[in-house]
Amino acid sequence: MARFLMFQGTASSAGKSVIAAGMIRLLRNKGFKVAPFKAQNMSLNSGVTPRGEEMGRAQILQAQAAGVEPDARMNPILLKPQGGNAIQVIVKGKVWKTCSSFEYYQYVEDLWQVVKESLDSLAREFDFVVMEGAGSPAEINLRRKDLVNMRVAKYCNAPVILIGDIDRGGVFASLYGTWALFEEEERKLLQGFLINKFRGERRILEPALQEIERLTGVPVLGVLPYLKLHLDEEDSLSEHLKGSKHQVVGDVFRVGVIRLPHIANYTDFQPLERELYVKLGYINSAKELAGLDLLIIPGTKNTFSDLAWLVEQGFGEAIEGFLKVGGLVMGICGGFQMLGERLVDPWGLESPKATVPGLGVLAMETYFAQEKVLRQVEGYLADDQSARFAGYEIHMGRTRFKKAYSPFLVIDKLLGQGVQRFEGVCVDKRIFGTYVHGIFDRASFRKRFFDCLKQQKGLPVLDIDIKATASWEDIREQELDRLSAVLEANLDLNFLSRLLAGQ
């Protein structure tokens, strides 16, 4: 049976997912077979496994850190808020039901069985299971309904490390307050504190480190420096939604992504944040279209609600005007659906209205079905076979075209099987639509696609070696190794030795 380790945090975004990924990579580098686990995840950033299962992207990243295929057992429950207090509940990679947050808690005991089964199954196959909690484990109003924090730790008798984010301030009060709210049985599992995102010299902290240990009897196992990491994030609190911060080489090509209220899978655009030939920003107002070269309408967990928001904000008329003056427009997944003439939801999955008009940019209609499309795909740009991508589809809608359009992509591999089918639309190399997430991950695709767009705008194409802009997959690998090294250098050596020895 596996050994266990659990990371919890004093609050959301304390660094649990990233630190767990770093520890997983560290253990893997020491020769252990490791699995990630998060019993219940609430996130609009999800991905698709090779088996066609949906799970949180944070656990997909952690599976990469472990060098294993992602598996829905690693994130057996995924909650996707879709507005109006409604939550789509994904269980073992498939849609289970949509309900209110209050209704969800009526199913806690049934779902606890799913959590135990998944955890037990992983424990039989791996040497280590590195787990993370969610939010704070000290939310006393949720203690009896807990599926992801101390209930999981107690079930497998896992040592717990509590992470505090010092960059936010109040880290010692947060650590102490969390410890104080723990029950005695929970305190026995707490092996240490870990202070994250520190920007100064550790010796300045020493008096406080000694005091928190004296007050609680819990050792501080490490102080981690503030790191700027290029890794997938699990929620919209991410600072990545601020856009690019680098210097663009050559003529500036400005890309604006609309920050929809229910934006999902914004990790699609993280590879663009560091490209030499792109300046990426997230926009909230139709006035911000001025000066853009390419406008992207991203994916969303509630296409109908976000479409209504777009119209209210004046984006409908603004996009029409943007196209007339030479702007380029791209829709991905839900954003693609919005570009059509109408959206139809006969089952009331997202909207109380059965039919809603779209933006009318493309002659197409989208019908929402009860079964979600979940599949990994590979292929290339329809007019350039050298520009290959690997991505995934994750959507309820099925789109019907009222006129023939040129395809945007060609898919030649679907769920690992060879196929040959067109995907998406490309209208005069000015309007693009696709259901595929992750198409910008590979450097060759990014370069070829943006070369095409720059030519369309009359801008010179930079002679940049594609090898100079690494694939997002390679970047993740490099960042995971860097994170692992930082953890090993800053964790208490005695603790690390005991962990590796199984003591």
Side-chain angles (χ1 to χ4, degrees):
M1 290 291 287
R3 287 181 258 163
F4 300 93
L5 177 65
M6 189 172 205
F7 290 99
Q8 297 182 4
T10 58
S12 296
S13 295
K16 298 182 292 292
S17 296
V18 169
I19 291 172
M23 178 58 74
I24 288 168
R25 175 54 59 92
L26 190 159
L27 291 171
R28 176 201 172 190
N29 289 344
K30 300 294 183 183
F32 295 100
K33 186 179 180 183
V34 193
F37 185 78
K38 185 167 185 175
Q40 173 190 280
N41 196 346
M42 180 176 284
S43 176
L44 293 182
N45 281 334
S46 60
V48 179
T49 73
R51 298 178 183 178
E53 304 162 326
E54 185 177 4
M55 60 184 285
R57 285 194 68 87
Q59 278 61 63
I60 290 176
L61 173 70
Q62 291 166 358
Q64 181 180 345
V68 299
E69 281 195 352
D71 183 317
R73 291 177 299 168
M74 300 169 181
N75 175 209
I77 304 170
L78 174 63
L79 307 180
K80 304 188 76 172
Q82 58 183 45
N85 199 35
I87 301 172
Q88 185 181 74
V89 184
I90 313 296
V91 176
K92 288 189 174 179
K94 302 296 180 182
V95 176
W96 185 53
K97 63 173 66 216
T98 298
C99 58
S100 71
S101 55
F102 181 80
E103 291 171 330
Y104 172 74
Y105 286 118
Q106 312 307 307
Y107 305 109
V108 161
E109 293 310 314
D110 291 334
L111 293 171
W112 175 240
Q113 300 306 313
V114 174
V115 171
K116 291 194 297 182
E117 289 168 6
S118 298
L119 187 52
D120 291 346
S121 177
L122 291 173
R124 288 191 292 268
E125 296 177 23
F126 292 86
D127 303 322
F128 260 104
V129 179
V130 176
M131 308 181 292
E132 65 164 300
S136 162
E139 302 294 343
I140 52 179
N141 58 310
L142 299 178
R143 177 170 280 152
R144 294 181 181 177
K145 302 169 184 175
D146 178 32
L147 281 174
V148 63
N149 286 306
M150 274 301 182
R151 189 175 188 180
V152 176
K154 286 188 286 187
Y155 176 72
C156 54
N157 196 34
V160 173
I161 298 176
L162 182 65
I163 303 167
D165 178 358
I166 196 169
D167 195 53
R168 290 181 170 186
V171 69
F172 295 105
S174 298
L175 293 171
Y176 182 83
T178 303
W179 171 85
L181 289 172
F182 275 169
E183 296 175 345
E184 188 58 35
E185 183 182 4
E186 295 169 337
R187 290 182 187 175
K188 290 178 181 178
L189 293 174
L190 184 57
Q191 297 298 298
F193 298 134
L194 190 58
I195 293 176
N196 193 25
K197 305 180 187 178
F198 182 54
R199 297 177 187 260
E201 293 186 46
R202 175 170 174 144
R203 59 185 176 179
I204 297 174
L205 284 183
E206 283 300 334
L209 301 181
Q210 295 171 17
E211 181 67 6
I212 196 70
E213 290 185 4
R214 184 188 70 80
L215 289 169
T216 63
V218 178
V220 176
L221 298 177
V223 177
L224 303 182
Y226 188 97
L227 295 176
K228 298 288 291 183
L229 293 164
H230 295 279
L231 291 172
D232 297 349
E233 303 277 357
E234 78 172 6
D235 60 41
S236 58
L237 295 175
S238 168
E239 64 179 31
H240 288 289
L241 286 174
K242 297 176 182 177
S244 305
K245 297 180 178 66
H246 65 274
Q247 189 70 36
V248 175
V249 176
D251 293 273
V252 175
F253 190 87
R254 298 192 180 276
V255 179
V257 178
I258 300 177
R259 188 169 181 172
L260 299 171
H262 302 95
I263 187 171
N265 295 85
Y266 70 84
T267 47
D268 286 345
F269 314 111
Q270 285 182 242
L272 301 181
E273 293 174 13
R274 51 187 285 159
E275 272 302 356
L276 299 174
Y277 45 80
V278 171
K279 193 71 172 178
L280 177 76
Y282 290 86
I283 66 173
N284 299 286
S285 164
K287 296 178 182 178
E288 296 176 85
L289 268 64
L292 292 182
D293 296 298
L294 171 67
L295 173 71
I296 300 179
I297 309 176
T300 166
K301 188 60 197 76
N302 194 315
T303 307
F304 288 81
S305 176
D306 283 357
L307 174 59
W309 179 85
L310 279 180
V311 174
E312 290 170 5
Q313 300 298 315
F315 274 102
E317 293 181 3
I319 290 172
E320 184 179 350
F322 181 68
L323 286 166
K324 286 181 179 178
V325 297
L328 311 176
V329 173
M330 182 178 194
I332 298 179
C333 200
F336 177 31
Q337 296 167 348
M338 294 181 199
L339 293 175
E341 294 178 347
R342 68 174 188 154
L343 291 83
V344 182
D345 186 5
W347 304 99
L349 299 171
E350 291 189 10
S351 173
K353 297 180 181 179
T355 303
V356 172
L359 298 175
V361 175
L362 297 171
M364 67 184 203
E365 299 176 340
T366 298
Y367 292 78
F368 281 69
Q370 290 181 297
E371 185 176 352
K372 183 180 286 190
V373 174
L374 296 166
R375 55 197 179 197
Q376 290 186 348
V377 296
E378 293 184 34
Y380 52 87
L381 268 175
D383 58 357
D384 189 345
Q385 292 191 34
S386 68
R388 290 196 62 81
F389 67 88
Y392 58 97
E393 295 182 43
I394 179 169
H395 53 92
M396 306 291 285
R398 274 69 162 171
T399 296
R400 303 174 185 174
F401 298 102
K402 292 186 172 182
K403 62 178 291 187
Y405 288 114
S406 298
F408 177 36
L409 307 171
V410 175
I411 292 175
D412 59 12
K413 187 177 290 187
L414 190 153
L415 288 172
Q417 303 298 314
V419 296
Q420 193 74 14
R421 58 184 287 265
F422 294 132
E423 200 281 331
V425 300
C426 172
V427 182
D428 301 325
K429 295 187 177 180
R430 295 177 55 246
I431 304 169
F432 305 88
T434 179
Y435 271 116
V436 180
H437 294 285
I439 57 173
F440 297 129
D441 282 9
R442 290 189 177 175
S444 61
F445 186 95
R446 292 197 302 272
K447 180 67 167 59
R448 303 292 186 190
F449 178 62
F450 281 98
D451 280 354
C452 170
L453 298 190
K454 294 189 82 170
Q455 290 172 342
Q456 187 69 11
K457 295 286 292 184
L459 297 172
V461 173
L462 291 176
D463 184 17
I464 297 176
D465 184 357
I466 290 176
K467 294 180 181 178
T469 56
S471 73
W472 195 241
E473 187 89 356
D474 291 339
I475 291 170
R476 289 192 195 103
E477 283 294 313
Q478 295 164 9
E479 294 289 76
L480 287 166
D481 283 337
R482 180 162 73 101
L483 178 59
S484 169
V486 169
L487 276 178
E488 190 163 13
N490 289 278
L491 280 177
D492 179 271
L493 292 178
N494 290 329
F495 166 77
L496 195 55
S497 297
R498 293 195 305 272
L499 177 69
L500 297 177
Q503 298 174 355

